[in-house]
Amino acid sequence: MAWKIIFILLLLFSITLTLIRPTTAKVNPLFLSSTCDYSKGNYTKNSPYYSNLLHTFANLSSLSAFNTFSNFTSGSGEDATNKIYALYDCRLDLTLQTCQDCVKDAGIELLQSCPSKEAIAIYAECMLRYANRPIVAMMELTPPQIICGVGVTMADEGVLNRTIKPIFKGLIEEATSENSSRYFATGEGSYFEYQKVYCLVQCTPDISRDQCKMCLIKCLELYA
């Protein structure tokens, strides 16, 4: 049986759009990408910004043991240059233990690879983001992050696209409907015999329903 895996994630942290094979087995968090925004400045180790970042990641790691989404602000007073705004979001179909493992790994990854004052780490299981400006309850469509890993022929890819687009359109409507208590929906479909795709859409819960729908639609357009 052939399984195809695709990852499509649209940055900044309003949405995750993914095709994945579900699993209940314990696995290590799967790192996909990180983006370091040096246009907002950088920091050095042992600086106040670095200390605030360590404090922020420690608190987010603790929060992720109980919540799939949380935000945290570190630093106060007049020194706005060292203030940090951060948030994480985990997939709602995974356990809190998986969420915490992912948030911990994401914090380590960003500390090692991004000495910038704004950055984001994308994993298959979660997203972790920080900045020295407010980012909570804000929808941002740029810069986009698209990670695709598909081993299909051009002909098969056309069939795959025609299969998943209707699935995603339905999931977007489901996740953003007035009856939905959270911006999340999953589905699956088949293309050719014995070949399945599993689809998932999710927005961070700090944005509005309309913003979530807009973001998911934009993500699907980027993939299409």
Side-chain angles (χ1 to χ4, degrees):
M1 185 175 296
W3 299 96
K4 307 303 178 186
I5 302 176
I6 305 174
F7 296 99
I8 311 167
L9 297 100
L10 175 60
L11 196 60
L12 279 166
F13 329 29
S14 322
I15 140 186
T16 302
L17 178 61
T18 336
L19 278 79
I20 51 174
R21 180 179 178 179
T23 178
T24 57
K26 178 176 174 55
V27 295
N28 292 326
L30 177 60
F31 172 73
L32 298 177
S33 70
S34 62
T35 299
C36 315
D37 189 350
Y38 292 99
S39 69
K40 305 298 190 298
N42 57 4
Y43 67 86
T44 58
K45 287 189 175 180
N46 301 319
S47 66
Y49 196 89
Y50 180 73
S51 297
N52 285 343
L53 196 57
L54 291 177
H55 180 60
T56 297
F57 286 165
N59 277 275
L60 290 179
S61 178
S62 297
L63 290 168
S64 64
F66 307 99
N67 303 284
T68 57
F69 170 85
S70 284
N71 64 83
F72 188 82
T73 302
S74 181
S76 60
E78 297 180 358
D79 189 9
T81 59
N82 290 313
K83 195 167 186 178
I84 295 174
Y85 304 83
L87 59 83
Y88 71 82
D89 194 28
C90 293
R91 274 177 38 202
L92 294 177
D93 60 330
L94 301 178
T95 65
L96 285 173
Q97 181 62 61
T98 299
C99 178
Q100 186 176 43
D101 290 344
C102 186
V103 172
K104 285 182 178 179
D105 270 33
I108 293 171
E109 168 63 29
L110 290 178
L111 287 172
Q112 292 177 341
S113 64
C114 285
S116 56
K117 287 195 172 182
E118 183 164 337
I120 183 169
I122 302 292
Y123 282 69
E125 299 84 5
C126 74
M127 169 275 296
L128 174 64
R129 181 188 178 199
Y130 71 87
N132 63 339
R133 61 184 177 88
I135 56 175
V136 177
M138 297 179 65
M139 182 187 71
E140 298 181 349
L141 298 177
T142 58
Q145 285 274 348
I146 302 177
I147 302 96
C148 299
V150 164
V152 294
T153 65
M154 290 293 290
D156 287 358
E157 186 176 352
V159 175
L160 177 60
N161 288 341
R162 289 193 296 274
T163 300
I164 64 175
K165 283 182 184 179
I167 299 173
F168 274 127
K169 287 179 179 179
L171 293 180
I172 291 171
E173 292 298 324
E174 179 183 341
T176 59
S177 71
E178 293 294 336
N179 295 327
S180 177
S181 60
R182 54 185 184 173
Y183 306 144
F184 175 79
T186 62
E188 63 181 76
S190 298
Y191 71 104
F192 298 133
E193 191 174 4
Y194 304 124
Q195 294 179 325
K196 277 195 171 184
V197 289
Y198 296 89
C199 310
L200 179 154
V201 297
Q202 181 173 329
C203 296
T204 58
D206 57 322
I207 60 174
S208 72
R209 194 175 301 276
D210 288 341
Q211 287 175 325
C212 175
K213 187 171 185 177
M214 181 190 303
C215 200
L216 290 169
I217 290 172
K218 290 293 184 181
C219 187
L220 185 56
E221 288 174 354
L222 281 176
Y223 169 70

